[in-house]
Amino acid sequence: MAESVVGILIEQLSTLLSQEITLLGGLKSDVQFIKDELESMKAFLREAEAKEDNDSQLQAWLKQVREVAYDTEDVLDDFTFRFARGYMDGFRGKVGKIYNSIKNLKARHQISLEIKEIKARFGEISERHRRYLSQYGTQERGFSSSRQANADFDTRAQSLFIEEAQLVGIDKPKAELISKILDDHSQLKVVSVKGMGGLGKTTLVKKVYDDAAVKKQFQSHAWITVSQTFQFSDIIKNLIQQLYNEIRRPVPRRVESMDDIMLSEFVRDFLRERRYILVLDDVWSIDAWEAIKCVLSDCTTASRVVLTTRIVDVASASCLGSLDFIYKMEPLSDKESWTLFCNRTFQSNNCPPNLEEVAKKILKKCEGLPLAIVAIGGVLALKDNEKTHEWEMILHGFGGEANGSGKLDRIKRVLLLSYNDLSHYLKSCLLYLSIYPEDYPIDVVSILLKWIALGFVEERERITSTDIAMSYIKELINISLIQVKSTLNDGRLNKCGLHDFLREILVSKSKEQDFTTVATRYYTRWPEKVRHLAIHNFTDNPQEFSSLKCLRSVVIFGYKDPLTTTFLSKFLSGDPKLLKALDLDGAKLDNIPKQVFKLFHLRYLSFARTGVKIIPKSIGKLQNLEAINLRRTNVTELPVEVLKLRKLRFLRFGGWGDYSNDYAVWGCKCPLGIGKLICLEELYGIEADSDKIVREIGNLMQLRRLDITGLRREDGKELLSSLLRLTNLRDLIISCIEEDETLDLQHSVSPKLEFLTSLLLNGRLERVPQWMTSLQSLRTLRLFNSRLREDENVIGSLEHLPNLVSLSLYGAYEGETLCFKVGGFQKLQCLELAQLKRLKWVRVEEESMPSLRSLQLVGCKLMQELPSGTQNLTGLQFLGFLDMSDELMHKVQNLDKQSEDYQTISHIPQVFTGHWINGRWEPKFL
């Protein structure tokens, strides 16, 4: 964490030195000294952090570095709070400047003293840094290489020496891998096994490698552990040693003096006429794979390379050939997990009845991770089975157990290998996820905005912060540290999450380093210098708020006694003046306390799903705001002062109702001049209350997502003219002012929208707009309440959209028949037909929708027959009938297995019916 704090601080210091040079005055030399000292020790910090657990002196030094870096960040933010704020124009502005210049003389002197004190502290820390370099050698990389190699060997070895009796769920994947290895293809073939650390990739491949049938098929066998500390010459010499040991001959002496090119040629010559199997265990980079691949002999001897990796891109890069195969390692099933747990903990398949409930709760945290199950089982095997309270203590102190030096320490080391390999930006991003509760689905858009607001995302020329942050989350998914929980129909990430065991480790690491603190009903106090505070299931009876001066972010989750305006006012009285992110989603608030508008550094502000009705004029004081989320609040109009927020990139308000209301959509009125907020990338819920507003939207050329409501027929041409300028749009939602209003979107003006992937039109359409049929990138299309006539041929207009994967027609069609013709909708995967009041028949011709996986029919009350031609949808996985006519629902639920209708849907794995009950669907699977 010291490396992350220092890395981000160096960026902040660079910005300060380049942009606020006049404000610094005589402090410039001191600030430059601090920056230079930080840069001199940054490289060493990565190596030191990887080894701090084994060296108490290093731990103490890193803590000093971390603390002085935090203190420096606090002083710098306080500096900008006091001296970098703007003032009003006119007489009042001049008076304010004079008053503040007098007031700030004392403040400048105080900050000058603080910076000089920090400079002195850095001098002491740097002296210790130089002693460490002398102690461990001038080659900083060498400081860790031997220890890291030993640690890697220890971790890999532990994976190999799991007893045969403990292996569960391995037979099926082992058989599959063996069949891929022993097929009769004569070319070189690569089999890559991918998955997060602890899943048992090494164990599985070792069992395959040692299998007698595999052994006898190959003349040469070698197992190479690559790991993070990859050294090409060492790897190749190890390979040569194994190859010569197998033929019982000494390695030629000349090998020792060979360079990398000669070593590669030597191995290639040796393997040229041999059928070999080579395992490359724990490959961490594409570069490592590419280097090793160059020595492999690609002849016609049916040789095989088996590779294990936790990096998705490495698996893909190694398996580019048509014969190559990627095996995705999955967690154990609940049944397999229970079997492994019982075998490890009780040496049998039975769990004592008094422990079953708590045992299953503990097991749930392992989420099918074999190494975690074996580790926690080893801890519990030493506990008294009669003392249930000891097991309860393990459950509630899970994170603490993982930090001990016992059996759980090995799983911690395995999981932290990936963490230690991250850049300092990614480390901060990942650690910040520890604020979220267990099993919480993390909203991707929200977390990206928080990362940006908190300064965790580096700045690059010509790339938006949003794109950089998205690349971070994809990289964390790529290396199996973040799990994808859900995606949108167009393939975009929607929700993500952490494995429970990894989350516990991150929570412990964050707390230990004063990075994040989670306050709960059991833990109502927090450290004096807390920086990121999450409040889980808290009660409205907290500590005195006297220690918030270092606070940068606050997020609440699941208040039992809802957070109120009074509570928030009291909280903000603790003077968290450096706060950058305030997320009060779901709080019981009717208005926003005035203290919020004193938070000069605030960049992210969410009052989503609260009772807030009015945004005060003082919102204009928060000139650093980048994101405001007012989704599903009672705010209906923004004050003109919002136009002062020139850094705004994200603005959400309004909302949508649920299935029970055909036209529940509302927006928010924005002041004229909204087009001046040219940094906006997302504008959701803006109400088109005048043609001027619609015209101004065309000035927001950075927009990627636009949701505009309250549109009238006469606004159509103006909107199309604005859309013509919004060439970066990815996501577009257009809703008319009321149900009977027509969306007039058919004009000579034709927006290109070449990057648009998602489109929702809510309102009556006279015809399908011509420009919509040319959207080459469109993946999701939703037409609500369009009421298109049968002669408009809605299906024929849309069937050739080349990349469409999801189509929803909700009250969008008034014909009796829908026919999906030959060759149409080649990539469509999800089709929803809902509230089509006159629809009686659906026909699917052969070779139509060949990729369809899900078909749902909702509220089409006149349909009494199953869709004809369903047997042509050979890839269909889900077929749903929701709130349909009683006749059709009864027919589906009571199909005779000998009937023709049953034969048409018998190939579909999941067929279900359902009704809308108490605000949600209640499905019944056949």
Side-chain angles (χ1 to χ4, degrees):
M1 191 63 213
E3 183 207 4
S4 300
V5 180
V6 165
I8 292 171
L9 181 56
I10 289 172
E11 297 291 331
Q12 189 176 354
L13 288 165
S14 299
T15 301
L16 187 65
L17 286 165
S18 62
Q19 297 180 6
E20 308 290 352
I21 191 81
T22 55
L23 283 175
L24 283 172
L27 299 176
K28 181 194 171 187
S29 61
D30 292 335
V31 172
Q32 184 67 56
F33 172 84
I34 293 171
K35 177 176 177 285
D36 293 343
E37 288 298 313
L38 287 170
E39 287 181 329
S40 71
M41 65 179 71
K42 183 184 172 186
F44 181 75
L45 287 172
R46 170 176 286 258
E47 307 297 339
E49 285 192 313
K51 290 297 145 203
E52 64 174 314
D53 288 344
N54 301 318
D55 192 321
S56 58
Q57 286 186 326
L58 271 181
Q59 281 182 343
W61 182 76
L62 286 168
K63 184 179 180 182
Q64 284 184 322
V65 174
R66 190 166 58 243
E67 288 175 349
V68 73
Y70 279 151
D71 290 346
T72 306
E73 184 183 25
D74 292 343
V75 171
L76 294 179
D77 282 348
D78 190 30
F79 176 86
T80 55
F81 174 76
R82 293 175 184 273
F83 302 111
R85 289 184 289 176
Y87 298 97
M88 295 180 291
D89 295 326
F91 176 74
R92 292 181 65 188
K94 291 178 181 177
V95 172
K97 288 181 182 179
I98 294 169
Y99 171 77
N100 280 286
S101 64
I102 296 170
K103 179 182 175 183
N104 285 337
L105 282 174
K106 183 177 179 180
R108 180 180 286 277
H109 177 67
Q110 178 61 36
I111 287 176
S112 176
L113 291 176
E114 290 175 353
I115 288 180
K116 288 185 182 302
E117 180 192 348
I118 286 171
K119 178 182 176 182
R121 289 167 64 187
F122 267 112
E124 296 174 7
I125 289 171
S126 296
E127 179 57 36
R128 291 189 65 184
H129 172 222
R130 284 186 282 273
R131 288 205 304 270
Y132 278 126
L133 287 182
S134 173
Q135 179 180 346
Y136 293 109
T138 55
Q139 295 296 320
E140 293 181 355
R141 193 73 199 167
F143 159 66
S144 68
S145 59
S146 61
R147 297 191 192 182
Q148 182 66 47
N150 290 335
D152 288 342
F153 174 79
D154 180 57
T155 301
R156 312 311 302 165
Q158 288 165 356
S159 300
L160 296 176
F161 298 130
I162 296 177
E163 295 176 13
E164 191 75 37
Q166 292 179 358
L167 297 176
V168 173
I170 204 170
D171 292 340
K172 186 176 178 181
K174 178 183 174 183
E176 184 175 358
L177 285 184
I178 288 176
S179 70
K180 296 294 181 182
I181 290 170
L182 298 185
D183 61 24
D184 56 4
H185 292 291
S186 60
Q187 291 87 5
L188 177 66
K189 179 177 181 179
V190 179
V191 175
S192 186
V193 181
K194 69 175 182 179
M196 73 176 291
L199 273 177
K201 302 181 294 296
T202 300
T203 303
L204 170 62
V205 171
K206 187 70 167 79
K207 295 303 171 187
V208 170
Y209 179 77
D210 288 339
D211 187 85
V214 172
K215 284 286 187 186
K216 71 178 183 180
Q217 287 294 323
F218 300 96
Q219 297 166 286
S220 295
H221 313 75
W223 179 291
I224 301 295
T225 298
V226 181
S227 78
Q228 291 164 294
T229 55
F230 170 74
Q231 296 290 333
F232 180 78
S233 60
D234 292 345
I235 290 287
I236 300 306
K237 288 177 182 178
N238 183 358
L239 173 59
I240 293 170
Q241 185 68 58
Q242 291 188 48
L243 295 173
Y244 271 79
N245 285 348
E246 191 171 37
I247 61 175
R248 298 182 180 181
R249 289 172 53 189
V251 175
R253 291 183 179 180
R254 67 181 186 277
V255 167
E256 194 58 40
S257 59
M258 287 181 178
D259 60 20
D260 290 351
I261 296 175
M262 296 171 67
L263 286 170
S264 299
E265 286 293 336
F266 184 88
V267 172
R268 198 179 296 114
D269 289 342
F270 184 94
L271 296 176
R272 182 163 287 123
E273 301 302 326
R274 291 176 174 272
R275 188 178 188 190
Y276 63 87
I277 180 168
L278 171 63
V279 174
L280 301 174
D281 187 32
D282 199 29
V283 181
W284 281 81
S285 69
I286 295 175
D287 288 344
W289 159 249
E290 293 290 344
I292 298 172
K293 184 178 71 170
C294 292
V295 310
L296 303 178
S297 178
D298 186 8
C299 52
T300 57
T301 56
S303 294
R304 302 291 181 256
V305 176
V306 184
L307 178 148
T308 74
T309 182
R310 57 180 80 185
I311 316 294
V312 175
D313 286 352
V314 172
S316 301
S318 65
C319 292
L320 298 177
S322 60
L323 299 179
D324 297 340
F325 175 72
I326 298 176
Y327 181 82
K328 183 181 178 183
M329 197 81 178
E330 298 288 355
L332 297 178
S333 67
D334 290 347
K335 183 178 180 181
E336 290 167 341
S337 296
W338 183 248
T339 300
L340 178 57
F341 177 80
C342 290
N343 286 343
R344 178 69 172 128
T345 309
F346 308 112
Q347 288 73 53
S348 71
N349 289 326
N350 299 316
C351 172
N354 64 307
L355 295 176
E356 189 164 330
E357 182 179 353
V358 66
K360 287 184 176 179
K361 288 180 180 178
I362 293 172
L363 184 61
K364 181 178 178 294
K365 289 180 176 287
C366 297
E367 292 190 53
L369 203 63
L371 190 56
I373 296 170
V374 170
I376 195 68
V379 171
L380 294 171
L382 303 176
K383 302 295 180 184
D384 190 333
N385 291 352
E386 300 300 321
K387 296 180 179 178
T388 308
H389 70 277
E390 290 188 0
W391 287 57
E392 295 281 357
M393 288 173 64
I394 294 289
L395 174 63
H396 295 303
F398 207 71
E401 285 291 330
N403 274 314
S405 58
K407 297 179 182 296
L408 292 192
D409 198 43
R410 89 174 56 159
I411 181 64
K412 177 187 173 184
R413 289 202 304 272
V414 168
L415 295 179
L416 284 182
L417 280 174
S418 296
Y419 171 82
N420 290 332
D421 198 51
L422 297 175
S423 69
H424 69 265
Y425 285 107
L426 285 175
K427 282 181 180 176
S428 295
C429 291
L430 184 63
L431 273 188
Y432 189 73
L433 299 185
S434 64
I435 67 170
Y436 289 91
E438 184 179 323
D439 299 324
Y440 191 89
I442 301 169
D443 182 76
V444 169
V445 172
S446 173
I447 193 59
L448 296 187
L449 291 169
K450 289 190 181 83
W451 284 350
I452 294 168
L454 295 169
F456 298 159
V457 177
E458 64 182 320
E459 295 183 2
R460 301 178 197 162
E461 289 186 16
R462 296 187 293 276
I463 306 178
T464 67
S465 297
T466 308
D467 283 342
I468 297 170
M470 180 58 79
S471 73
Y472 286 4
I473 210 164
K474 288 181 177 178
E475 185 172 346
L476 290 170
I477 291 168
N478 179 44
I479 58 180
S480 307
L481 284 173
I482 287 182
Q483 300 172 333
V484 176
K485 296 294 186 183
S486 67
T487 58
L488 300 175
N489 287 336
D490 60 3
R492 285 179 294 159
L493 291 171
N494 183 34
K495 306 285 184 183
C496 64
L498 293 170
H499 189 285
D500 277 355
F501 219 112
L502 178 60
R503 177 188 168 274
E504 294 289 354
I505 292 170
L506 293 177
V507 166
S508 178
K509 197 170 190 66
S510 292
K511 183 179 176 183
E512 164 193 314
Q513 301 184 356
D514 292 331
F515 185 66
T516 64
T517 297
V518 176
T520 68
R521 70 181 94 172
Y522 306 110
Y523 180 76
T524 60
R525 302 190 66 83
W526 43 78
E528 181 182 352
K529 293 188 176 182
V530 58
R531 305 189 81 75
H532 304 289
L533 177 64
I535 303 176
H536 297 184
N537 299 322
F538 210 27
T539 60
D540 204 351
N541 184 28
Q543 66 174 52
E544 290 297 319
F545 300 117
S546 58
S547 57
L548 303 178
K549 64 179 182 179
C550 301
L551 198 62
R552 295 308 197 279
S553 71
V554 177
V555 186
I556 68 163
F557 302 95
Y559 249 68
K560 296 301 182 183
D561 296 329
L563 186 147
T564 62
T565 303
T566 303
F567 173 91
L568 183 57
S569 297
K570 185 179 178 183
F571 180 87
L572 294 173
S573 68
D575 192 27
K577 62 183 178 183
L578 305 182
L579 199 66
K580 294 182 178 180
L582 180 60
D583 186 349
L584 302 176
D585 189 336
K588 188 179 180 181
L589 297 170
D590 297 322
N591 55 71
I592 305 174
K594 61 184 180 181
Q595 293 95 329
V596 169
F597 304 105
K598 296 180 181 179
L599 302 173
F600 169 74
H601 284 286
L602 203 63
R603 297 180 180 178
Y604 177 97
L605 179 63
S606 175
F607 287 102
R609 299 187 302 134
T610 68
V612 169
K613 303 179 185 66
I614 296 174
I615 300 299
K617 294 180 179 180
S618 45
I619 188 74
K621 295 179 180 179
L622 303 178
Q623 295 183 24
N624 285 307
L625 265 181
E626 298 174 354
I628 305 176
N629 190 353
L630 300 171
R631 200 76 170 146
R632 303 186 72 87
T633 65
N634 297 318
V635 175
T636 58
E637 187 171 1
L638 292 181
V640 69
E641 285 73 13
V642 78
L643 301 181
K644 295 179 181 179
L645 310 180
R646 297 303 174 90
K647 295 181 181 180
L648 266 184
R649 294 184 298 101
F650 176 94
L651 191 52
R652 273 192 178 184
F653 21 66
W656 285 71
D658 57 30
Y659 163 80
S660 61
N661 189 332
D662 284 358
Y663 206 82
V665 57
W666 69 94
C668 179
K669 293 180 181 179
C670 289
L672 288 176
I674 190 72
K676 295 176 182 177
L677 301 181
I678 57 174
C679 291
L680 276 174
E681 296 176 21
E682 184 162 330
L683 180 58
Y684 257 55
I686 184 173
E687 191 171 302
D689 64 326
S690 74
D691 60 343
K692 291 181 179 177
I693 287 288
V694 177
R695 189 179 306 121
E696 284 196 26
I697 287 174
N699 295 328
L700 305 175
M701 289 186 285
Q702 297 301 315
L703 274 185
R704 297 184 174 207
R705 296 181 178 85
L706 171 64
D707 174 1
I708 183 168
T709 70
L711 217 70
R712 295 156 299 185
R713 184 187 185 100
E714 57 267 30
D715 295 324
K717 187 173 183 179
E718 195 69 70
L719 178 63
L720 291 176
S721 296
S722 288
L723 292 178
L724 193 61
R725 304 181 67 193
L726 304 183
T727 55
N728 288 309
L729 270 185
R730 269 69 164 172
D731 189 350
L732 176 61
I733 300 175
I734 303 172
S735 301
C736 60
I737 192 166
E738 56 186 26
E739 190 169 356
D740 291 329
E741 189 78 12
T742 297
L743 286 175
D744 185 12
L745 300 175
Q746 185 70 42
H747 289 275
S748 58
V749 179
S750 184
K752 303 304 179 185
L753 303 177
E754 59 180 309
F755 298 117
L756 195 72
T757 61
S758 177
L759 174 64
L760 188 157
L761 301 180
N762 185 8
R764 183 191 288 261
L765 292 173
E766 293 178 341
R767 63 185 63 88
V768 175
Q770 184 63 36
W771 56 268
M772 198 169 79
T773 63
S774 62
L775 297 174
Q776 298 295 299
S777 299
L778 195 67
R779 293 174 61 83
T780 296
L781 176 61
R782 292 168 288 176
L783 299 180
F784 283 17
N785 306 300
S786 306
R787 290 186 271 177
L788 289 158
R789 299 188 306 274
E790 189 158 10
D791 59 2
E792 286 302 323
N793 188 22
V794 59
I795 298 302
S797 300
L798 303 174
E799 63 185 1
H800 295 300
L801 286 169
N803 289 298
L804 195 68
V805 296
S806 177
L807 175 64
S808 296
L809 301 178
Y810 185 105
Y813 178 69
E814 294 193 332
E816 294 185 349
T817 304
L818 274 177
C819 183
F820 296 87
K821 296 183 179 179
V822 175
F825 297 106
Q826 286 295 297
K827 291 189 178 180
L828 195 68
Q829 297 178 17
C830 303
L831 174 62
E832 181 183 30
L833 306 175
Q835 302 301 318
L836 306 182
K837 305 297 185 182
R838 298 181 183 179
L839 186 67
K840 293 182 178 179
W841 300 284
V842 175
R843 298 196 180 101
V844 181
E845 296 183 359
E846 290 186 24
E847 298 180 28
S848 173
M849 303 185 287
S851 305
L852 199 68
R853 295 176 56 81
S854 173
L855 170 59
Q856 291 195 45
L857 297 140
V858 184
C860 304
K861 298 290 188 178
L862 293 185
M863 278 192 70
Q864 297 185 14
E865 302 293 332
L866 272 68
S868 66
T870 312
Q871 69 275 11
N872 297 323
L873 303 173
T874 55
L876 199 63
Q877 300 293 309
F878 305 93
L879 175 60
F881 301 89
L882 305 171
D883 228 11
M884 301 291 280
S885 67
D886 292 340
E887 292 86 348
L888 183 56
M889 299 286 272
H890 182 268
K891 175 181 286 188
V892 173
Q893 291 167 1
N894 297 276
L895 281 176
D896 184 341
K897 291 188 176 182
Q898 304 304 316
S899 67
E900 184 177 342
D901 280 339
Y902 181 84
Q903 298 305 316
T904 64
I905 65 171
S906 60
H907 67 289
I908 304 171
Q910 297 192 53
V911 180
F912 56 93
T913 60
H915 291 281
W916 185 258
I917 300 173
N918 296 326
R920 63 192 182 100
W921 289 112
E922 294 287 350
K924 179 181 178 182
F925 289 88
L926 304 188

